[in-house]
């Protein structure tokens, strides 16, 4: 969305922040919103793009804000920016990954079962309530395209009425609390329990082993199966199984070591070797002297005069 | 290559085989040092024409005035003094004891036989930085006014004082544009001199002074009468060596002037060597005057001159006149460090040491001039001088240019940096007549006895006991010389860290009657007879370890009371103890550290004994600072805070080739380990914990192992293939930037956790055992970082390395011997470190070669070239284990914080230097909150409640808890305040720089990032912005951010204060 040049089509949605005992100042938070510019899917058309959402936002908070703007029932959901950007790491064996690009898709009916397994292998959450980086973005999904217009209109009207929605109004106890309870819960969530973790790990490796097996089968199958253009993919390894990458690297390392050892054994043997060594030392020595000299020069430049401290 | 010519110059001609040359010319790398010293000499050169404008003319004028003074015939002392003082309004500065009313001596004045300029002005060896520039003008009194027996009973000095006053009167009359005052020459109260200064130059420029020194003609008195064993007072037959040497020196001004001039003529580098010596001595607080040790520029110059002539074992020259100045300096340093100056006399110019030279103090006998060059030095001053020379030499050996600063630039003369304990003694009326040679002054005499007693009392607890006497000051010509009372005497003690806290002192056995009696005599009722387990019965003393006062303090107080009847108020103590108290360090902390360590060792044993692990354990390495004696707070079983351990297995094919899968595999291994540990030892409870779930390729899980009522340990597992896989990924050019960065970060974390930290831990615990004060020095330094709210930006390892460096390269001091000296030196190191242009290299296993060093420096310059604004890495600290230099500085501090660190360290150093012993240690650890934009105060009650309760729901009924299989309280993932600070930092790192101390600091301070200002674009905001008035521009929405912080912190935050509103 950054490629959209028009910055001025953002509407400003001010939200009143109630004062708190620890910070008794009533202030206003400004959320900037506009129609979602990049309409690709149907739901894009009925969504709003928000910038600068408060760090402690939850879906409940925004549901309340939008309810106060255009009444209940128009707000469907919100996706916070950082949820969308979670890094995706592959959990498949490395060579399975490489082969997957070449291989065929799996059968649909197995997929469902696998999906269930993979969900069981997910790591638990560590926080009861996720915070958002200050100034980050979100996308709000509304009931229909008409709601979008309604919201924008309501926001425009705010600048006249000055009746800003109040942050946290109507959320009450429904959102998980922050503060000490939040930190306490974090400590608790960080220790999910040994049994639960055992189950998770078991599920994970069921999936992992299956994938590994599939990959091995695939690799073997592809060893002598030409693709549609008639090419045969060359995979590593012999006839029985493809080689693993580390094995190849290990072999290379060993070879280098052997070479080095051979070289070491024939050092310091001939006179010319000693002579060359001496020469190299001298050069080294000269270099060091030059280094020191340049250091001194740097020192001189830095503090024009060398003076003892008083 | 001009510099190498100096190196190649033939060294051996002139003088028969100089003895110390080998050492002097050894370091080939020292050619840079030669250059640097040359540079220094050029820079400190005094522009005599400018600094002493018109002085030659003035001197000539004075000479004429003095020579034209009206002579008069001998008259009785009382009479002439009275009339002189009445006419001239000048008090004749007679030394003590002042002449009696019925004194039969007669005084006269006659034209001086010679008036001459001597000293460093004449020799042109002054340096810019010296505190006062003075020209010495000697006035040789004619032999005619003296009688043969005038060497006895201070008669000479009476006549000299009168002569001096007479000259002063004459000069005051003839030169009204000058101020005139009296001073004691080198603090020697027998020798008053007139000090003349041009009026009004005290404030503007530096100004100079002319010292007019009356002295005796050569050969005035027979030298036999002025030997070191002769007695020249009428009351006693005890030898008066100081009196004699002072008198002898009176007639040696001209001979020494000749000696120095000859040396300067024959050895071209002599002058420069003298200047180097002057700087070296000056930075160490040595000077010619009695209070400064009695070894100053003059003594240095004479020593070098003598060494150019002889001094070797067979009388051969120690120095060659062909040496350059830094070689002369080095060789002289070596001579000072290695010659035995304290036990037996050193003789120049004669083969045998005559018996007459034996005496208490140090003797360096110049046979040609029959004079003890060191007569002003005490035993402790010589000892201290030699120690300083040794420390400097130790530095000289190690490296070339890096030592230059510590030799000549650093101000070494700082009590608290040098000594572990300083005692200030009010020497009021402690001047009972002890007979013997009291001509040195009362304070001097008292200090000598005090030093002797304290040295004996402290015994092997002290490596060095030094005394500093009050400085002498000039006084007005109309006043009496400063009275009998001396000022305060300072005693500095360098302790032996391994013995200083010994509880029991053992004396001689009861059978050794004589020694036992002596022991009893010295210690009085404190000495007790005790029977020991081995059957021996010994005199012994037990000191109180739990007292407020440290044991050396108890000893000094007791001995001072016993032998000098000094009461509590007369002594004040400064140093290590008060610093430790301020930093809340206690000697009893050690037991907690060793308990934690023992706990770790038994855990390691238990881990190794687990049999059904799928892989073999290779190493169980401690990682937490608590396990290397280096944490600010000693580990405590009550805290539920785990201590980190890294566990690695033998290489195995069981690991997968996917980093993310390996993290889960680790989890499986940890679960297995936990189950097995719990089975073998029912006292062990294990909890698997997650440290993060967002990055699949970084470590996810750890296992917390808690002993019942004991410590908690946190085990992280290494999978040995991860590093290799990540390295391969980094080489993969096809990956996108994001993935590469992620892999690099993961690799760095991996390396740090499983390679750097275990090695660092091992190194540190080794050094902590080798140097007992290191542990407390580190903790004090951490306390300093914490007090100044820098701790949250620094890896603890980095702070530890700073302290370690102070121990490894201690020059110009010796290895720190207490927490305080270690701490202050580390601060000194930080203050002097110019991290913009220099890498810090810490060679703790002495494995860094010169080639490595230049590689490190090349790497450093490359880093700076790539990132000149220092956005990524600011501090570069290479160690023997990590030559990349960034292992501990990758994630902080930023440039702003590093600047802050240097600034604070500098002001701490300044305070230590300027305040001296009067420094209140608390002031070094106080930090104001005023300069922060935001101060977030945390609610300590809520935090404490959180530490007690871990959030796991306990049922009201105890038995239900058990049913649930709940295995005791959960450990803390980390301190809640720290978690909160981390969260805040993650949310607002673009907007605010947060400052926080160590774990238990209940304040988070913040500064708004000055680099983000207004903007117009609404996308990609670095933090919350609000519309700025009518226009399009936006500005940082500070109020909304603070309100957000208050909401996120909830009840944990008690108050948010904003600068300017309170």
């Amino acid at each position: 969305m950054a490629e959209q040049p028009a910055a001025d089509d953002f509407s400003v949605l001010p939200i009143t922040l109630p004062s708190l005992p620890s910070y008794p100042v009533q202030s206003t938070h400004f959320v900037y919103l506009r129609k979602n510019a990049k309409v690709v899917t149907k739901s894009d058309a009925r969504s709003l793009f928000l910038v600068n959402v408060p760090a402690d936002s939850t879906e409940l908070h925004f549901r309340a804000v939008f309810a106060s703007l255009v009444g209940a029932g128009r707000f469907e959901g919100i996706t916070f920016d950082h949820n969308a950007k979670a890094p995706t790491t592959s959990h498949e064996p490395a060579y399975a990954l490489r082969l997957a690009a070449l291989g065929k898709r799996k059968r649909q009916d197995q997929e469902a079962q696998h999906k269930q397994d993979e969900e069981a292998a997910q790591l638990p959450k560590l926080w009861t309530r996720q915070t958002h980086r200050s100034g980050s973005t979100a996308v709000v999904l509304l009931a229909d395209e008409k709601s979008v217009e309604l919201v924008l209109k309501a926001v425009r009207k705010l600048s006249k009425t000055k009746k800003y929605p109040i942050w946290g109004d109507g959320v009450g106890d429904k959102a998980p609390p922050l503060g000490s309870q939040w930190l306490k819960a974090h400590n608790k969530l960080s220790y999910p329990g040994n049994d639960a973790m055992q189950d998770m790990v078991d599920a994970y490796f069921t999936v992992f082993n299956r994938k590994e097996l599939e990959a091995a089968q695939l690799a073997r199958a592809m060893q002598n199966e030409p693709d549609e253009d008639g090419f045969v993919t060359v995979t590593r390894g012999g006839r029985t199984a493809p080689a693993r990458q580390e094995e190849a690297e290990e072999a290379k390392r060993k070879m280098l070591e052997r070479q080095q050892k051979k070289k070491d054994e024939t050092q310091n043997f001939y006179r010319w070797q000693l002579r060359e060594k001496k020469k190299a030392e001298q050069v080294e020595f000269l270099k060091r002297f030059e280094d020191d000299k340049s250091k001194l020069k740097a020192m001189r430049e830095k503090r024009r005069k060398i003076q003892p401290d008083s | 290559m001009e510099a190498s010519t100096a190196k190649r110059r033939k060294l051996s001609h002139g003088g028969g085989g100089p003895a110390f040359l080998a050492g002097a010319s050894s370091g080939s790398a020292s050619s840079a040092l030669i250059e640097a010293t040359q540079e220094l000499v050029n820079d400190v050169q005094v522009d005599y024409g400018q600094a002493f404008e018109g002085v030659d003319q003035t001197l000539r004028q004075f000479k004429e005035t003095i020579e034209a003074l009206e002579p008069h015939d001998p008259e009785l002392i009382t009479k002439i003094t009275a009339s002189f003082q009445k006419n001239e309004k000048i008090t004749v500065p007679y030394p003590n004891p002042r002449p009696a009313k019925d004194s039969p001596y007669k005084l006269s004045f006659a034209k001086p036989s010679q008036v001459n300029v001597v000293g460093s002005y004449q020799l042109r060896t002054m340096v810019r930085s010296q505190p006062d520039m003075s020209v010495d003008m000697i006035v040789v009194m004619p032999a005619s006014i003296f009688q043969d027996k005038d060497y006895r009973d201070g008669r000479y000095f009476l006549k000299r004082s009168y002569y001096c006053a007479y000259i002063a009167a004459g000069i005051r009359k003839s030169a009204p544009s000058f101020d005139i005052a009296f001073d004691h020459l080198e603090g020697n109260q027998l020798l008053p001199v007139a000090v003349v200064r041009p009026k009004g130059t005290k404030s503007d420029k530096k100004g100079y002074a002319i010292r007019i020194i009356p002295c005796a003609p050569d050969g005035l008195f027979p030298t036999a009468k002025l030997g070191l064993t002769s007695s020249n007072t009428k009351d006693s037959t005890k030898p008066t060596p100081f009196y004699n040497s002072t008198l002898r020196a009176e007639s040696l001004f001209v001979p020494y002037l000749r000696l120095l001039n000859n040396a300067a003529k024959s050895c071209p580098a002599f002058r420069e060597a003298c200047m180097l010596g002057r700087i070296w001595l000056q930075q160490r607080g040595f000077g010619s005057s009695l209070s400064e040790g009695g070894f100053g520029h003059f003594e240095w110059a004479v020593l070098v001159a003598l060494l150019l002539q002889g001094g070797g074992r067979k009388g051969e020259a120690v120095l060659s006149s062909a040496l350059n100045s830094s070689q002369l300096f080095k060789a002289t340093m070596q001579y000072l460090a290695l010659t035995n100056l304290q036990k037996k006399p050193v003789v120049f110019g004669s083969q045998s040491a005559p018996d007459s030279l034996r005496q208490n103090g140090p003797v360096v006998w110049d046979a040609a001039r029959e004079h003890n060059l060191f007569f002003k030095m005490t035993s402790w001053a010589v000892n201290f001088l030699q120690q300083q020379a040794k420390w400097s030499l130790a530095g000289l050996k190690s490296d070339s240019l890096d030592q230059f600063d510590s030799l000549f630039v650093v101000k070494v003369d700082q009590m608290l940096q040098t000594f572990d304990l300083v005692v200030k003694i009010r020497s009021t009326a402690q001047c009972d007549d002890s007979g013997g040679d009291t001509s040195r002054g009362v304070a001097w005499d008292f200090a000598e006895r005090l030093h002797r007693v304290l040295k004996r009392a402290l015994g092997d607890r002290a490596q060095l006991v030094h005394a500093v006497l009050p400085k002498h000051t000039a006084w007005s010509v109309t006043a009496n010389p400063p009275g009998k009372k001396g000022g305060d005497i300072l005693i500095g003690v360098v302790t032996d860290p391994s013995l200083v806290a010994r509880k029991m002192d053992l004396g001689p056995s009861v059978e050794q009657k004589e020694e036992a009696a002596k022991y009893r005599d010295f210690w009085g009722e404190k000495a007790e007879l005790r029977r020991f387990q081995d059957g021996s019965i010994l005199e012994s003393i037990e000191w109180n370890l739990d007292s407020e006062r440290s044991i050396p303090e108890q000893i000094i107080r007791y001995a001072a009371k016993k032998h000098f009847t000094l009461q509590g108020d007369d002594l004040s103590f400064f140093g290590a103890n008060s610093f430790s108290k301020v930093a809340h360090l206690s000697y009893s902390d050690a037991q907690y550290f060793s308990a934690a360590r023992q706990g770790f060792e038994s855990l390691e044993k238990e881990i190794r004994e687990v049999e059904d692990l799928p892989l073999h354990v290779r190493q169980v390495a401690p990682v937490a600072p608590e396990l290397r004696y280096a944490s600010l707070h000693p580990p405590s079983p009550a805290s539920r805070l785990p201590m980190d351990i890294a566990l690695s297995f033998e290489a195995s094919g069981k690991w997968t080739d996917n980093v993310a899968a390996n993290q889960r595999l680790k989890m499986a291994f940890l679960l297995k380990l936990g189950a097995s540990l719990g089975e073998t030892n029912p006292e062990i409870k294990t909890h698997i914990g997650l440290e993060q779930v967002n990055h699949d390729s970084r470590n996810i899980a750890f296992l917390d192992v808690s002993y019942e009522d004991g410590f908690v340990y946190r085990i992280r597992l290494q999978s040995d293939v991860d590093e290799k896989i990540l390295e391969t990924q980094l080489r993969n050019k096809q990956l996108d930037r994001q993935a590469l960065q992620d892999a690099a970060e993961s690799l760095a974390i991996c390396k740090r956790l499983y390679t750097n930290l275990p090695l660092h831990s091992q190194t540190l615990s080794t050094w902590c055992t080798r140097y007992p004060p290191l542990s407390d020095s580190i903790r004090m330094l951490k306390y300093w970082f914490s007090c100044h709210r820098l701790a949250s930006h620094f890896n603890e390892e980095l702070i530890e390395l700073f302290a370690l460096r102070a121990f490894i390269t201690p020059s110009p001091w010796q290895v720190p011997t207490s927490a305080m000296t270690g701490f202050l030196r580390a601060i000194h190191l930080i203050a002097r470190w110019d991290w913009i242009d220099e890498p810090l290299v810490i060679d703790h296993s002495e494995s860094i070669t010169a080639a490595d060093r230049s590689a490190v420096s090349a790497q450093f310059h490359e880093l700076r070239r790539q990132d000149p604004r220092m956005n990524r890495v600011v501090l570069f600290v290479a160690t023997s284990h990590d030559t990349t230099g960034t292992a501990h500085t990758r994630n902080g501090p930023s440039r702003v914080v590093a600047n802050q660190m240097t600034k604070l360290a500098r002001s701490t150093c300044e305070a230590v230097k300027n305040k001296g012993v009067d420094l209140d240690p608390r002031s070094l650890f106080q930090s104001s909150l005023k300069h922060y934009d935001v101060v977030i105060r945390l609610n300590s009650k809520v935090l404490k409640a959180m530490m007690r309760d871990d959030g796991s729901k306990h049922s009201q009924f105890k038995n239900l808890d058990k049913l649930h299989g709940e295995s005791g309280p959960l450990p803390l993932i980390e301190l809640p305040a720290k978690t909160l600070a981390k969260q805040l930092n993650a949310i607002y790192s673009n907007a605010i720089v947060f400052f926080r101390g160590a774990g238990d600091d209940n304040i988070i301070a913040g500064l708004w990032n000055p680099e983000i200002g207004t903007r117009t674009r609404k996308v990609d905001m670095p933090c919350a912005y609000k519309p700025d008035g009518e226009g399009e521009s936006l500005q940082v929405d500070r109020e909304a951010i603070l309100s957000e912080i208050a909401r996120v912190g909830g009840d944990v935050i008690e108050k948010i204060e904003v600068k300017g509103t309170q």
Side-chain angles (χ1 to χ4, degrees), chain B residues 416 574 578-579 582 911 915-926:
Chain B
L416 291 180
F574 309 92
S578 54
F579 272 74
V582 169
K915 294 237 173 97
V917 293
D918 296 326
L919 175 82
D920 179 4
R922 266 168 302 179
S923 68
L924 301 186
F925 297 96
Q926 267 160 6

Side-chain angles (χ1 to χ4, degrees), chain B residues 207-220:
Chain B
Y208 59 86
I210 299 170
R211 295 199 294 184
I212 300 171
I213 308 167
C215 66
D218 204 2
L220 178 63

Side-chain angles (χ1 to χ4, degrees), chain A residues 22 29 32 51-52 55-56 90-92 127 133-134 179-180 187 190-191 194 289 295 300 302 306 309-310, chain B residues 31 39 43 283 409 658 688-690 696 704 832 834 973 983 987 1018 1022 1024-1025 1047-1049 1051 1056:
Chain A
S22 57
H29 189 103
Y32 308 96
V51 179
N52 193 21
D56 60 336
S90 143
H91 292 274
E92 297 175 43
W127 295 94
R133 189 182 63 77
S134 182
S180 67
N187 201 56
S190 297
Y191 296 99
N194 296 4
F289 176 67
K295 221 161 142 191
R300 200 174 311 161
K302 212 161 52 192
I306 308 174
D309 288 356
S310 55
Chain B
S31 40
E39 191 89 355
D43 283 348
Q283 295 309 84
V409 178
N658 180 310
I688 191 134
L690 307 175
D696 275 322
D704 279 358
R832 287 195 75 87
D834 173 15
I973 192 112
Q983 282 290 316
I987 302 174
K1018 292 196 179 88
Y1025 275 83
R1047 293 201 302 274
V1048 171
D1051 53 346
I1056 296 179

Side-chain angles (χ1 to χ4, degrees), chain B residues 49-70:
Chain B
Q50 192 190 11
F52 294 95
E53 207 183 340
V55 79
D56 288 330
Q57 212 179 340
T58 314
L59 288 172
R60 213 169 300 126
Q61 183 199 335
F62 284 0
K63 185 176 180 214
E64 280 160 15
T65 311
I66 293 169
E67 281 174 345
L69 282 177
E70 189 188 340

Side-chain angles (χ1 to χ4, degrees), chain B residues 196-417:
Chain B
V196 185
R197 279 176 198 281
K199 262 182 189 158
T201 50
K202 256 191 180 158
S203 54
D204 62 312
K205 285 199 291 177
K206 256 182 155 182
Y208 59 86
I210 299 170
R211 295 199 294 184
I212 300 171
I213 308 167
C215 66
D218 204 2
L220 178 63
F221 301 117
T223 53
K225 298 288 181 194
L226 301 178
L228 300 185
T229 45
S230 325
S231 170
N232 283 322
T233 49
K234 62 180 163 212
D235 315 325
S236 125
T237 52
K238 274 193 181 168
T240 53
F242 182 79
Y243 173 95
N244 301 354
S245 294
T246 304
L247 195 46
R248 178 73 197 128
E250 281 292 282
S251 51
L252 290 176
F253 281 97
V254 178
Y256 273 123
L257 177 67
R258 222 173 287 135
L259 174 75
L260 296 183
N261 278 338
N262 285 343
K265 224 177 276 163
S266 67
C267 171
F270 177 74
R271 276 202 182 95
E272 288 178 4
C274 288
M275 288 164 79
L276 290 180
R278 185 195 281 277
I279 296 167
W280 186 84
L281 290 166
Q282 185 185 305
Q283 295 309 84
R284 279 150 189 77
F286 282 107
S288 287
S289 84
L290 286 172
S291 60
E292 287 170 332
F295 189 90
H297 171 256
F298 171 75
E299 285 77 12
W300 170 276
V302 170
L303 184 67
V304 174
L306 289 175
L307 287 172
L308 281 165
Q309 291 176 357
R313 207 169 294 155
K314 289 181 188 130
E316 77 278 16
V318 170
L319 305 175
S320 152
S321 56
L323 295 178
N324 64 31
S325 55
S326 51
Q327 285 167 327
L328 281 176
F329 170 80
K330 244 181 183 180
T332 313
M333 195 74 358
Q334 210 152 356
Y335 182 83
L336 278 177
L338 301 179
T339 314
N340 187 351
L341 294 169
Q342 299 177 66
K343 289 276 145 57
K344 60 177 193 194
V346 176
V347 180
F348 280 97
S350 157
Q351 287 299 331
S352 59
D355 279 348
S356 61
L357 295 185
R358 288 188 195 286
Q359 65 140 343
N360 272 338
V363 176
V364 172
W365 188 252
D366 178 6
R369 277 152 290 268
E370 295 183 68
H371 179 55
N372 177 14
L373 186 60
F374 278 28
F375 77 99
K376 281 179 290 182
M377 296 191 81
T378 53
S379 58
W380 69 78
V382 169
N383 188 11
F384 197 51
L385 176 70
Q386 291 203 289
Q387 284 299 340
Q388 295 275 15
K390 273 179 200 156
W391 297 339
S392 292
L393 265 189
L396 270 173
K397 258 177 221 152
S398 63
D399 195 23
S400 54
L401 204 53
D402 298 345
Q403 295 310 318
F404 177 77
D405 276 9
S406 73
L407 273 180
F408 297 115
V409 178
V410 176
K411 185 86 182 145
V412 184
D413 174 26
Q414 300 178 43
M415 288 302 265
L416 291 180
Q417 290 274 21

